[in-house]
């Protein structure tokens, strides 16, 4: 097995790095207004919650590993640390990906920086359809799929303020019509 100190490093380093970036990184305001555009990102309360969970699990993992070493309990300290390190690494990756996501709305177009991949530019006058998809997120919104040129161009996550983004797009004619409570 690996040296226990090597397994303690991720339990301490990843949450510490995330805490440092959350504190010292650029200011992440969920909704940022600029003179020529507005930018929407995943709420800081959510990303901060992930960082707190990583820090808590790191501390808990170290304490349980020390307890297992002192009592010589069935799970070895290595087993305990590997379990907690895998949780922390997964949460760190999710935190890193979610921090990347943003939607910037301008007067005639929007730019989406998705969780993975390159930026997507959508011109408002080329939008064919705006469609709700997926389940409701913590914000109360579902994802919004924007169709342009006959295919789904981009999916805006319901984690951001979709209502404000819809107001900026101002293409309510592209929303599906409702007849008798059923979407047509």
């Amino acid at each position: 097995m690996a040296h226990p100190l090597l397994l303690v490093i991720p339990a301490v380093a990843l949450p510490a790095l995330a805490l440092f970036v959350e504190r010292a990184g650029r200011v992440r305001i969920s909704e940022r207004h600029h003179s020529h555009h507005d930018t929407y990102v995943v709420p800081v309360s959510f990303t901060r919650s992930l960082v707190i969970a990583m820090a808590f699990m790191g501390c808990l993992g170290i304490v349980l590993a020390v307890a297992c070493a002192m009592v010589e309990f069935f799970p070895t300290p290595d087993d305990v640390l590997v379990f907690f390190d895998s949780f922390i690494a997964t949460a760190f990756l999710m935190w890193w990906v979610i921090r990347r996501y943003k939607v910037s709305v301008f007067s005639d177009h929007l730019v989406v920086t998705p969780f993975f991949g390159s930026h997507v530019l959508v011109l408002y006058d080329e939008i064919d359809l705006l469609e709700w998809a997926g389940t409701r997120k913590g914000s109360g919104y579902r994802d919004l799929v924007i169709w342009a040129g006959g295919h789904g161009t981009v999916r805006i996550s319901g984690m951001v303020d979709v209502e404000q983004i819809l107001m900026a797009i101002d293409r309510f004619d592209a929303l599906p019509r409702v007849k008798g409570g059923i979407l047509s």
Side-chain angles (χ1 to χ4, degrees):
M1 287 302 261
H3 191 276
L5 185 58
L6 291 176
L7 296 172
V8 169
I9 292 171
V12 174
L14 292 178
L17 175 62
L19 282 167
F20 175 76
V21 170
E22 281 286 315
R23 286 278 289 155
R26 4 177 259 258
V27 177
R28 287 187 53 88
I29 301 170
S30 298
E31 181 179 334
R32 205 175 306 150
H33 299 285
H34 301 283
S35 60
H36 65 291
H37 76 284
D38 298 333
T39 300
Y40 301 90
V41 296
V42 174
V44 175
S45 58
F46 183 70
T47 58
R48 192 168 294 136
S49 296
L50 285 173
V51 172
I52 291 169
M54 281 188 281
F56 174 77
M57 293 300 276
C59 292
L60 183 61
I62 292 169
V63 167
L64 288 176
V66 168
C68 286
M70 291 173 51
V71 179
E72 294 185 19
F73 194 58
F74 171 66
T76 66
D78 290 350
D79 295 338
V80 172
L81 287 171
V82 165
F83 171 79
F84 282 92
D85 285 354
S86 63
F87 175 87
I88 292 167
T90 303
F92 183 82
L93 182 62
M94 187 169 79
W95 169 81
W96 192 266
V97 167
I98 286 174
R99 279 186 51 81
R100 181 180 189 278
Y101 187 81
K102 70 179 175 183
V103 179
S104 297
V105 293
F106 298 85
S107 61
D108 62 344
H109 68 281
L110 65 90
V111 177
V112 178
T113 304
F115 296 114
F116 300 102
S118 59
H119 304 294
V120 178
L121 179 120
V122 178
L123 300 173
Y124 299 151
D125 57 355
E126 292 181 1
I127 293 175
D128 299 327
L129 177 68
L130 299 170
E131 177 178 62
W132 297 107
T135 59
R136 293 194 188 280
K137 306 293 190 276
S139 65
Y141 298 110
R142 295 169 59 193
D143 292 351
L144 181 70
V145 178
I146 299 177
W147 293 77
H151 65 284
T153 305
V154 70
R155 184 175 181 136
I156 296 176
S157 173
M159 289 192 291
V160 297
D161 194 351
V162 177
E163 183 178 5
Q164 291 298 318
I165 294 168
L166 273 172
M167 296 298 285
I169 292 173
D170 194 22
R171 284 294 312 275
F172 295 102
D173 60 308
L175 286 169
R177 304 272 183 246
V178 178
K179 289 184 184 177
I182 301 173
L183 291 176
S184 58

